[in-house]
């Protein structure tokens, strides 16, 4: 999933989400047993530290597209 307005993208692998820039993996985020809100906050903080402004709601919508049917506050399986 491409993060609109940035040079970054998120890719879902078996156990982790990979944050990529120009095809290279910058960071990984484990998602098993965590909620979408926790994951959204961690990714948003990471991008903010890198100096990349992104709207939290846009990021959240993208995460929901990667995990269809998951509840916002429930654990990801």
């Amino acid at each position: 999933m491409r993060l609109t307005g940035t040079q970054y993208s998120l890719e879902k692998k078996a156990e982790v989400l990979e944050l990529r820039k120009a095809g290279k993996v910058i960071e990984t985020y484990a998602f098993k047993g965590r909620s979408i809100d926790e994951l959204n906050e961690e990714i948003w903080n990471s991008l903010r530290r890198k100096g990349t402004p992104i709207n939290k709601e846009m990021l959240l919508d993208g995460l929901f597209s990667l995990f269809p049917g998951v509840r916002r506050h429930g654990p990801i399986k």
Side-chain angles (χ1 to χ4, degrees):
M1 165 192 108
R2 183 97 173 118
L3 297 177
T4 308
T6 69
Q7 301 174 350
Y8 295 94
S9 64
L10 280 173
E11 247 184 69
K12 181 180 173 184
K13 298 295 182 183
E15 298 286 325
V16 296
L17 283 178
E18 293 179 344
L19 180 66
R20 294 176 170 260
K21 181 178 180 181
K24 296 182 181 176
V25 177
I26 304 298
E27 283 191 52
T28 59
Y29 307 97
F31 59 80
K32 294 281 184 179
R34 299 175 67 195
S35 72
I36 287 282
D37 271 348
E38 292 171 353
L39 198 56
N40 185 43
E41 188 69 30
E42 185 177 351
I43 295 169
W44 184 78
N45 282 330
S46 176
L47 289 169
R48 192 181 60 165
R49 281 191 308 271
K50 292 175 183 358
T52 304
I54 188 168
N55 186 323
K56 267 188 178 180
E57 292 303 315
M58 279 181 29
L59 181 59
L60 187 62
D61 290 341
L63 288 174
F64 277 124
S65 70
L66 289 175
F67 301 101
V70 72
R71 292 174 289 140
R72 185 172 183 156
H73 300 289
I76 300 171
K77 295 180 182 179

